[in-house]
Every structure is written in C-alpha cells, then in structure tokens.
Amino acid sequence: MRDENCIFCKIAGGCIPSNTLYEDENFLVILDIAPAAKGHAIAIAKSHFRDLLQAEPSALAAALPAVARVADAMKKALSCDGINILQNNGEAAGQSVFHLHFHIIPRRQGDGLTIPWKTLSYEDGEAEALASAIRSELEK
C-alpha cells in the first residue's frame, strides 16, 4: 500500500534517491537529509500508514528489530555515547511527514542537542483519574 503523494512512499519505492543504511521487506532506513546530528537516520515503513496508531500490527512488530539493528550498528560505527529513538504521531506531537517513521539519532556527551519538555505534576487524584480513563479504553 503506497500513497503516490507521499514523499516517504516515493523514497521507499526508489523514486527518490537516498543514502540507504538498511533495508528489509518492511522498512527502509536512510540518512536524514536535515539531520539533528551527523548520522541521524530515518526508518521508513515501506507500506503507507499515517502514523503508529494506524499501522498494522505486523508493521509494528517489524519496526523495533530494524530500528535496533541500525541503532546498534550506528553506535559501533560512529562511536557515539547514546542513541535517541523518536517517533511522533500527529502534528501536535511534531510529526511533519504523515507516514510511519522512526528517527534514530546518534548522541554524544555535551553535543548540545536537546529534546526538551517542561515537566508537570499531578493534583491529588488526577493521576488515578487519568490512569482509570486510559485503562477503560484498553478494556474495550
């Protein structure tokens, strides 16, 4: 399943050239053309799913082994200190290309790259109410 208007479908289909790091039947992993750090890669699902929440379970099951394999090779090849694995769902979460993909970003101590968020706290009873609402959805 492909979307002819999707840039990631075009890359995964070979219509747009890329620096390919890894490929299997479900994912293509390429270097990001606008990296957050040198070596930043993107694991692109070969089938078109808008995001993780709309992906088929088989695509999700294939995702982490592919991402982990590339992350391990990246850590060894680049001698980096750590790896960020990022996946955004929806515009409010920072998704800008609406096709299932994962960012694999090599990190070094003191590299200055930040993925910030402001930490919050819960009012009395608020955490349990939110947990209860989520559990109710999971039980459906």
Side-chain angles (χ1 to χ4, degrees), residues 23-107:
E23 184 172 7
D24 64 24
E25 61 273 4
N26 297 297
F27 279 86
L28 175 70
V29 184
I30 64 170
L31 286 179
D32 193 314
I33 62 169
K38 302 291 179 158
H40 175 173
I42 304 172
I44 301 169
K46 286 188 172 179
S47 293
H48 184 81
F49 303 105
R50 180 177 172 83
D51 58 28
L52 181 118
L53 304 176
Q54 294 183 3
E56 293 177 3
S58 60
L60 298 177
L64 284 182
V67 168
R69 184 169 181 189
V70 172
D72 185 52
M74 182 182 286
K75 192 162 196 277
K76 291 172 182 172
L78 303 179
S79 299
C80 55
D81 301 315
I83 305 277
N84 281 119
I85 309 295
L86 301 174
Q87 203 285 316
N88 303 321
N89 296 281
E91 189 174 348
Q95 186 178 10
S96 59
V97 178
F98 294 92
H99 180 111
L100 176 63
H101 64 283
F102 297 78
H103 293 268
I104 309 165
I105 305 171
R107 300 299 305 274

Side-chain angles (χ1 to χ4, degrees), residues 2-19:
R2 295 199 194 274
D3 178 339
E4 65 185 50
N5 297 314
C6 173
I7 186 87
F8 282 178
C9 283
K10 291 177 183 176
I11 293 169
C15 298
I16 296 174
S18 62
N19 287 302

